Amino acid sequence: MTLFLAGTGLFLLAGIATLFVGPSRKGLIFAGGAAAAQALLLPAAIKVLLGGGSPSAAVEFSFPIGRAVLRLDPLAAFFVLIVSLGGFLAAVYSKGYMKAESGDRSSLSRYYLFMGLLIAAMLVVVTVQNALLFLIAWEVMSLASFFLVAHEHAKDEVRRAGVYYLVAMQVGAAFLIAAFVWTSSLSGSLDFASFGPALGGEGLLPSLLFLLFFVGFGTKAGFVPFHTWLPLAHPAAPTGVSALMSGVMIKTGIYGILRILLLGGGRSLVLGYIVLAVGIVSGIYGVMNAIAQHDLKRLLAYHSIENIGLIGLGIGMGMIGLAAGQEGIAVLGFFGAVLHTFNHFTFKSLLFYGAGVVYLKTHTRDIDRLGGLVRVVPVTSALFLVGSLAICGLPLFSGFISEFALYSGLIRGLASGPFPRFAALAGLAGLAFIGVMAVLCFSKVFGIVFLGSPRSARAETPGEGSGWLVTPMAVLAVLIVFVGMLAPLVIPLLGPVVRPIAAGGADGEWLRLVDLFRRIAPALAVFGGLIVFFIALRRLLIGTKPVAVFKTWDCGYQAESPRFQYTAGSFAAPFLRLIAPLVPTHQHIAPPEGLFPAGAEYRSHPLDLVEIRLIRPLVGVIRRFLKLFTWIQTGQTQNYILYGLIFLIVLIIWIIGVR
C-alpha cells in the first residue's frame, strides 16, 4: 500500500512542481512525475490482480470522518490500472498538445496543477472505503475537472460548457450524498464494510438506496438521461483532458455501481431490468446522435454515451443473472462490462488523441471541412483506424472480445428458463443495432476525415504530429490489438474482479468462460493470418510492376474539386431521415435568389432530444420556483447579517438536539 500512496502523491506533486518551473519545462516535469508514478502504481495493481491479496492502510481523522481505510482490492486495482495508465498517457500527450500555449505560464500552470489533482483524486476515489472521505475526493475530482473543462475560459461556449458540467456534477453528487447519508444512518458507520445489511435484500428500502446510488454514479458515467453534460464538456476541454475524462474519469461512475453491487446492493430482478433498459437506451441513443454530429469531438462524446450503455447492458445482464440464479449469465454479463470498461478506455482515448492531432493540423473539428488527411498524417490515420475498428467491435480488436461476451450471455439467456427471454431478446436486438450503427458512423468519420481530397490548404501540408502526440496513440493501439488477439492471456487478470461481484459460486462458470475464449483464439489467429497472407500475396503479385492510378469516377467532369465529394451530412442523411423524430435537427437555409445569385447557404445542427424536451423545461420550472425567493436579496447589509445570525441559531439548536 505504501507504493500506491507514493504513486498517488507523485501525480499531485508533479502538478504542484510545474508551478515553479518555466513554461518550456512544465510538460516535461509533469510527464516525468507521471512516469515515475507508473513504476509504483502499476506493479502494485497488477500484483493484486494476479492474486496478491488486498493491501490496505488506515488513517485516523478527527470527527466526523473518523477511521478511514484505503484498500487496494481487485476491483480497486483494476480501476487504479486504468486511472494510472490513462493519466500517464494524458501527461505525455499534453506535453505535445499544449505546446501551442508554451508562452502562457499561468495557463500551463493551471492545466498541469488541476490535471495532477484530478488524477490523484480519482486514485483516492477508487480505493477509499469511508463514505465521507469518498465524497470529499469525489468533489475534488469534479472541481479539478471543471477547471480543466473551462481551461479556455475566454470563449463563451467554453464558459457555458464548464458551468453546465459543474451543475450536472453537483446534481449527481446530491444523489450520492443522500444515498451515503441514508446508508450510513442505517448501518451506524461510514465504513463501506458495514453497508452490506442496509444494501442487501430485495425490499423497497434496498432498492431505493440502489437507485439513489445509480443516479448519482450514472450521472458521472453518462447514462441517458443524465448524459447531457458530455457533448458539451468534451469538445470544450483541451484534447488531453477530453481523453482523460472520456477514457478514464467517467469510469469512476462505473466503479461506483460495481462497488455497490460488491457490497450486496442491486440483488433484485426489477433493478436488473432497469439497469439493462437504461444501458440499451443509452447505447442506442448515443450512437444515433453520434451519426448526426459534424463536430468530431462531439461525435466521440456521444460514442462515449453509447459505450457506457454497452457497459450498463452488461451490468444489467449480470444483475438479472444473479437474481434469477443463472450464474453463467451473471459471469458473462459482468465480465463483458468490466472488460469493455478497459477497452473503452483504450480505444476512446486513442480516438480523442487522433482528433486532437487532426485539430492541430487543420484548426477545425468540423468533419465537413476535413478530408484527405491520410496523405499528410499517415501514422495518425492508421492508428485512428485501429481505434475505429475496435470501437465497432470487429474481430482482431479488443472491442470484439467484450461484445462477444455480451452476445454469448444474451444468447445463453434465450435458452435458460428462469432468465427472462424478453430481456435477452431486447438486449440482443439493441446490441446488434448499436454495432451496425457504430460501423456506419465510423465509416463516415474515417471516410470523410482521412480519405478523399483535402478541403483546406492546411490539410495538404505533410507533417505528422510530434513523438509526444503519436506515442500515446501507438501504446493504446498495441493494447487494443493485444487484447483482441491474445484475450486468453488477459482474461485471468479479470477473474479476481468479476467473480466476487458474480457471487462466490461462479468459479465453475468462470472456468467455462476462460475455456470459451481459449477455443475461439485459434479462429481469430487464422482470421488474422489470412489477412496478412492476402496482403503479402497482393504485394508479391504486383511486385515491381508499374501501377496505373486513375481518378475517381466523376461523371465525366474532369475539373477536380474537393467540393465534389460526399459530405458527412450526405453520408448520414438516409439514416437520419428515418430517425428524425428522435434526433431533431435545427436547419438554417439561405436559398439562391435571382438570376445570378451571389451565394447560398445551408447549415444544420443536430439537437439533443433529452436536452430540449426534458432538461430545459425542468430548468425553467426550477428557475421560476427560485424566483419566488428573490425578495431575500434586498441589497442591505444588515439583512444579510440577520440571515447569518438566524442560520447560526438554527445550527446550534440542531447540534444540541443531535447530541
Side-chain angles (χ1 to χ4, degrees), residues 48-49 53-55 71-78 126 129 255 259 262:
V48 170
L49 291 176
S54 301
R71 181 173 294 116
L72 198 63
D73 61 7
L75 179 62
F78 173 72
V126 299
Q129 304 293 309
Y255 162 80
R259 177 61 71 186
L262 193 58

Side-chain angles (χ1 to χ4, degrees), residues 14-358:
I16 295 173
T18 60
L19 299 176
F20 305 101
V21 297
S24 62
R25 298 174 60 192
K26 289 181 187 295
L28 194 60
I29 291 290
F30 189 73
Q38 301 313 295
L40 303 174
L41 290 170
L42 294 186
I46 291 172
K47 182 181 177 183
V48 170
L49 291 176
L50 288 173
S54 301
S56 62
V59 184
E60 290 290 342
F61 292 92
S62 59
F63 178 81
I65 297 178
R67 187 171 185 272
V69 175
L70 281 86
R71 181 173 294 116
L72 198 63
D73 61 7
L75 179 62
F78 173 72
F79 281 91
V80 165
L81 193 70
I82 293 175
V83 173
S84 180
L85 187 57
F88 169 60
L89 295 177
V92 174
Y93 186 85
S94 296
K95 172 71 177 70
Y97 189 82
M98 299 304 287
K99 191 177 180 181
E101 298 187 20
S102 58
D104 192 338
R105 183 187 180 107
S106 63
S107 174
L108 283 176
S109 296
R110 285 199 312 273
Y111 180 85
Y112 288 115
L113 175 64
F114 286 118
M115 180 172 276
L117 188 61
L118 170 62
I119 297 168
M122 286 192 288
L123 289 169
V124 174
V125 159
V126 299
T127 52
V128 70
Q129 304 293 309
N130 179 284
L132 190 52
L133 201 57
F134 176 91
L135 288 171
I136 292 171
W138 187 268
E139 281 299 288
V140 172
M141 177 178 69
S142 296
L143 289 173
S145 53
F146 159 72
F147 284 109
L148 289 169
V149 168
H151 180 72
E152 299 180 31
H153 54 83
K155 299 177 181 176
D156 289 341
E157 66 271 20
V158 171
R159 284 200 301 274
R160 281 198 296 272
V163 172
Y164 194 105
Y165 168 70
L166 187 62
V167 171
M169 291 305 98
Q170 295 314 302
V171 170
F175 279 92
L176 286 183
I177 292 169
F180 276 118
V181 168
W182 197 352
T183 309
S184 300
S185 65
L186 292 173
S187 66
S189 170
L190 292 170
D191 196 326
F192 287 179
S194 67
F195 287 0
L199 293 171
E202 297 185 8
L204 178 61
L205 182 58
S207 298
L208 287 175
L209 285 174
F210 179 83
L211 289 176
L212 281 174
F213 278 117
F214 184 72
V215 173
F217 289 125
T219 303
K220 179 69 79 179
F223 283 114
V224 173
F226 320 114
H227 68 285
T228 50
W229 63 271
L230 272 101
L232 296 175
H234 287 349
T239 299
V241 176
S242 304
L244 189 61
M245 291 177 69
S246 182
V248 179
M249 193 194 72
I250 62 174
K251 305 303 188 312
T252 56
I254 299 299
Y255 162 80
I257 295 169
L258 292 175
R259 177 61 71 186
I260 297 303
L261 291 171
L262 193 58
L263 292 172
R267 306 301 164 115
S268 157
L269 203 58
V270 175
L271 291 175
Y273 286 146
I274 292 173
V275 176
L276 181 76
V278 171
I280 295 171
V281 170
S282 299
I284 293 174
Y285 189 84
V287 75
M288 284 195 311
N289 278 275
I291 292 172
Q293 302 304 314
H294 305 297
D295 184 304
L296 184 53
K297 287 178 72 175
R298 192 174 168 89
L299 179 148
L300 294 177
Y302 272 109
H303 270 291
S304 291
I305 299 166
E306 172 223 328
N307 281 276
I308 287 296
L310 292 180
I311 295 169
L313 188 153
I315 294 174
M317 187 169 76
M319 291 170 65
I320 295 173
L322 274 183
Q326 296 290 324
E327 293 174 345
I329 296 169
V331 167
L332 285 165
F334 288 130
F335 168 74
V338 170
L339 181 58
H340 203 73
T341 299
F342 181 81
N343 291 341
H344 182 247
F345 149 62
T346 54
F347 55 64
K348 184 48 65 67
S349 299
L350 168 56
L351 292 170
F352 264 115
Y353 290 149
V357 173
V358 169

Side-chain angles (χ1 to χ4, degrees), residues 230-571:
L230 272 101
L232 296 175
H234 287 349
T239 299
V241 176
S242 304
L244 189 61
M245 291 177 69
S246 182
V248 179
M249 193 194 72
I250 62 174
K251 305 303 188 312
T252 56
I254 299 299
Y255 162 80
I257 295 169
L258 292 175
R259 177 61 71 186
I260 297 303
L261 291 171
L262 193 58
L263 292 172
R267 306 301 164 115
S268 157
L269 203 58
V270 175
L271 291 175
Y273 286 146
I274 292 173
V275 176
L276 181 76
V278 171
I280 295 171
V281 170
S282 299
I284 293 174
Y285 189 84
V287 75
M288 284 195 311
N289 278 275
I291 292 172
Q293 302 304 314
H294 305 297
D295 184 304
L296 184 53
K297 287 178 72 175
R298 192 174 168 89
L299 179 148
L300 294 177
Y302 272 109
H303 270 291
S304 291
I305 299 166
E306 172 223 328
N307 281 276
I308 287 296
L310 292 180
I311 295 169
L313 188 153
I315 294 174
M317 187 169 76
M319 291 170 65
I320 295 173
L322 274 183
Q326 296 290 324
E327 293 174 345
I329 296 169
V331 167
L332 285 165
F334 288 130
F335 168 74
V338 170
L339 181 58
H340 203 73
T341 299
F342 181 81
N343 291 341
H344 182 247
F345 149 62
T346 54
F347 55 64
K348 184 48 65 67
S349 299
L350 168 56
L351 292 170
F352 264 115
Y353 290 149
V357 173
V358 169
Y359 180 74
L360 288 177
K361 185 71 185 173
T362 61
H363 290 193
T364 182
R365 301 193 308 258
D366 189 342
I367 297 173
D368 282 330
R369 295 178 184 273
L370 300 170
L373 288 175
V374 71
R375 300 190 191 96
V376 295
V377 285
V379 175
T380 298
S381 303
L383 295 172
F384 193 94
L385 181 61
V386 170
S388 302
L389 295 172
I391 200 171
C392 292
L394 297 179
L396 304 184
F397 301 96
S398 58
F400 170 78
I401 302 298
S402 47
E403 292 192 22
F404 184 83
L406 297 179
Y407 274 115
S408 300
L410 291 168
I411 291 171
R412 192 165 174 174
L414 290 175
S416 302
F419 188 86
R421 288 186 173 81
F422 178 76
L425 277 174
L428 277 173
L431 196 55
F433 181 82
I434 292 167
V436 171
M437 292 303 102
V439 172
L440 170 65
C441 188
F442 276 92
S443 298
K444 178 189 87 169
V445 173
F446 195 81
I448 304 298
V449 173
F450 294 99
L451 304 181
S453 300
R455 290 180 171 89
S456 71
R458 288 182 179 276
E460 294 177 340
T461 309
E464 196 67 65
S466 69
W468 295 100
L469 297 171
V470 174
T471 302
M473 291 191 287
V475 170
L476 291 164
V478 169
L479 283 174
I480 288 169
V481 176
F482 182 80
V483 174
M485 294 286 291
L486 301 170
L489 299 179
V490 178
I491 291 172
L493 288 174
L494 303 185
V497 182
V498 174
R499 281 181 292 175
I501 304 173
D507 290 349
E509 295 295 343
W510 177 259
L511 294 177
R512 290 191 188 91
L513 182 145
V514 174
D515 183 59
L516 169 68
F517 281 96
R518 279 181 181 155
R519 281 187 281 121
I520 67 169
L524 290 174
V526 170
F527 184 61
L530 283 174
I531 293 175
V532 174
F533 170 75
F534 282 115
I535 292 174
L537 182 63
R538 179 180 180 276
R539 292 181 66 87
L540 181 66
L541 293 176
I542 292 177
T544 57
K545 297 176 184 176
V547 176
V549 178
F550 296 93
K551 293 176 60 178
T552 305
W553 179 70
D554 54 4
C555 302
Y557 190 82
Q558 293 297 304
E560 186 179 9
S561 169
R563 297 178 63 189
F564 298 159
Q565 298 182 89
Y566 231 29
T567 65
S570 55
F571 191 100

